[in-house]
Amino acid sequence: ELKDDMKAKKNEIQTLEDASTDLMMLDDEEKVPYQIGEVFVEMTQDEVQETMEANKEKINEEVTQLQGKVDEIKGQMSDLKTHLYAKFGNAINLEADEE
């Protein structure tokens, strides 16, 4: 579940980067509709660029937190597998870690 969340957040970052690239192709004086929640607000290109950069930073922080949780869970799973193999030997067959 955490890996799916990370993947969704990385896709969101890519979408913001694509939008940023497309934004550069517009005229400098043109107002841009930017979606906030369920409404669109017209902003200048500089305001939109700043907002998108802030959103990317926020999402990157969330991805970092999720990665920390994933690493913690993997460590716990590894410890548990070690204990189980120590107790039962090869009599059990545990799933391999997924990446």
Side-chain angles (χ1 to χ4, degrees):
E1 189 175 302
L2 292 175
K3 288 179 184 179
D4 290 341
D5 289 346
M6 281 182 21
K7 184 177 180 181
K9 298 231 180 258
K10 287 180 181 180
N11 286 339
E12 192 173 342
I13 290 171
Q14 184 62 44
T15 300
L16 287 171
E17 289 174 355
D18 292 344
S20 179
T21 302
D22 291 344
L23 188 62
M24 289 181 203
M25 295 180 192
L26 297 175
D27 294 332
D28 289 336
E29 298 173 14
E30 196 173 335
K31 292 273 187 175
V32 178
Y34 187 79
Q35 186 175 6
I36 300 176
E38 295 182 6
V39 297
F40 284 91
V41 179
E42 284 199 359
M43 303 169 85
T44 64
Q45 290 182 21
D46 291 336
E47 291 172 330
V48 171
Q49 196 76 10
E50 290 172 10
T51 304
M52 287 192 307
E53 286 299 320
N55 285 341
K56 281 197 298 189
E57 288 177 20
K58 178 183 165 198
I59 294 169
N60 276 326
E61 289 174 11
E62 292 172 0
V63 168
T64 302
Q65 290 175 353
L66 288 173
Q67 185 63 47
K69 288 179 183 179
V70 167
D71 292 342
E72 181 181 335
I73 290 171
K74 281 184 179 181
Q76 290 173 351
M77 287 175 52
S78 178
D79 289 344
L80 291 172
K81 285 181 181 182
T82 302
H83 291 305
L84 287 171
Y85 277 122
K87 186 172 184 174
F88 297 106
N90 289 333
I92 60 172
N93 187 15
L94 300 176
E95 292 181 12
D97 290 338
E98 293 181 16
E99 287 299 319

